[in-house]
Amino acid sequence: MIHTQSFDVSKQSIQKAAQLLRSGELVAFPTETVYGLGARVFDESAVRRIFVAKGRPSDNPLIVHCAEKADVGRIAEPLDEPKQALFDALYEAFCPGALTILLPKRSAVPDAVTAGLETVAVRFPAHLIAQELIHAVGEPLVAPSANRSGYPSPTTAQHVLHDLSGRIAAVIDGGACAVGIESTVVNILTESLTILRPGSITKEQLDKVALAQGFQPFMYASGKKNGEKNAVPLSPGMKYRHYAPNARVLLASSLEEASLLATTNSPALILARSEYADGATVHELSEQSLYGALRKADSEGFHTVILVCDGEVQNNIALMNRISKAASKQ
Ligand code: TXA
Ligand code: MG
């Protein structure tokens, strides 16, 4: 058991955190989506310890976080001309931000990072502390969400400490994450452009860029079902149970249905869109609040969480993706 330090966001603290990372330690840091658990991308032993600290299956690859577009050349091979133009256009439109793009992996990147895959996932976080930290280390950082594998992703430093205290060297406390769910992950290397994980950057936004570059719209990866030959394979991480609290998660289509379910499943925490939330019996359901609320259910002893998925929630593909996974018994 190691003592996990909690750092503020001062320049001095960032330097201390960078020093820990340079010496092979793991440090959690804020990004605009969720907190990430950082290690130097070229430090294979530190990368391996990330999987141990999180209890993460070793076949689930990590995202490499870069502070500058120029860093890409250190981890990825060049693209052909039309794909490079598409990458440049996506970068221009959404980066830095909540978009992760697969690129051909350079052999310098340890296999542990990509779980042996030929592709490497790259993201440019918009959070200034994340950028400062990567600059201070002088090398891109791998960073999965800084939670115990399978539990909801952390959107505050307290969530990180709850899951990983004693297992990592430090966390930088940058307050609550603005976006609240993980980045959109896309594969532009295959013939059809695919969304491997939906996020706050939507298919509509991505399609505008793809079409302007002469490509077909993106497809959602749906996973291979029995007998289905042409389905696009999911991202390795998408097959695991995710985002689930210990409390049982039930879905309702209206507040009335949720109230009814609550009477037979008490004590229950009800989450619904902010216009229904009263802060007493009904709490807010949004991208920003979902993971914190799922964690709150456990920390406050609720046996059940009831999520009101009305039409508007169902139209939010990224939010529904996380809700379905939290509710899945798999
Ligand atoms: O917003 C985010 O993306 C956060 C913050 C910290 O940046 N990170 C994050 O990392 O969510 P993680 O490890 O929890 O999720 C990474 C996802 C997994 O589903 C993984 O399978 C997928 O990205 N992934 C990573 N590399 C891949 C690759 N080469 N091919 C396909 N999927 C990949
Ligand atoms: Mg994760």
Side-chain angles (χ1 to χ4, degrees), residues 54 56 144-145 147 153 182 197 242-243:
K54 278 181 59 79
R56 182 182 178 102
S145 50
N147 53 301
S153 293
E182 306 84 347
R197 178 174 71 181
H242 266 97
Y243 321 119

Side-chain angles (χ1 to χ4, degrees), residues 88-244:
D88 291 342
L90 290 170
Y91 182 91
E92 195 57 41
F94 306 114
C95 300
L99 181 66
T100 297
I101 305 175
L102 301 196
L103 292 173
K105 171 188 175 297
R106 274 195 71 178
S107 56
V109 175
D111 284 335
V113 170
T114 61
L117 296 176
E118 295 298 305
T119 54
V120 60
V122 184
R123 174 159 119 72
F124 306 87
H127 200 294
L128 293 179
I129 298 304
Q131 293 180 1
E132 268 184 49
L133 182 66
I134 298 165
H135 276 302
V137 174
E139 186 176 301
L141 298 175
V142 292
S145 50
N147 53 301
R148 288 303 296 263
S149 209
Y151 208 55
S153 293
T155 54
T156 67
Q158 288 70 38
H159 296 163
V160 176
L161 287 170
H162 173 272
D163 285 17
L164 299 177
S165 185
R167 296 173 161 264
I168 63 174
V171 56
I172 302 173
D173 187 348
C177 300
V179 175
I181 60 168
E182 306 84 347
S183 61
T184 307
V185 180
V186 296
N187 187 353
I188 62 167
L189 302 174
T190 42
E191 201 176 304
S192 42
L193 311 179
T194 55
I195 298 174
L196 299 178
R197 178 174 71 181
S200 61
I201 294 174
T202 63
K203 171 171 156 53
E204 289 66 33
Q205 289 175 289
L206 292 164
D207 284 350
K208 254 192 212 156
V209 176
L211 292 172
Q213 294 297 316
F215 288 87
Q216 296 294 312
F218 279 80
M219 288 171 42
Y220 284 110
S222 58
K224 282 187 181 150
K225 300 203 179 75
N226 283 343
E228 210 178 335
K229 288 214 177 65
N230 298 324
V232 183
L234 285 174
S235 198
M238 298 305 272
K239 67 173 183 265
Y240 295 108
R241 186 166 193 231
H242 266 97
Y243 321 119

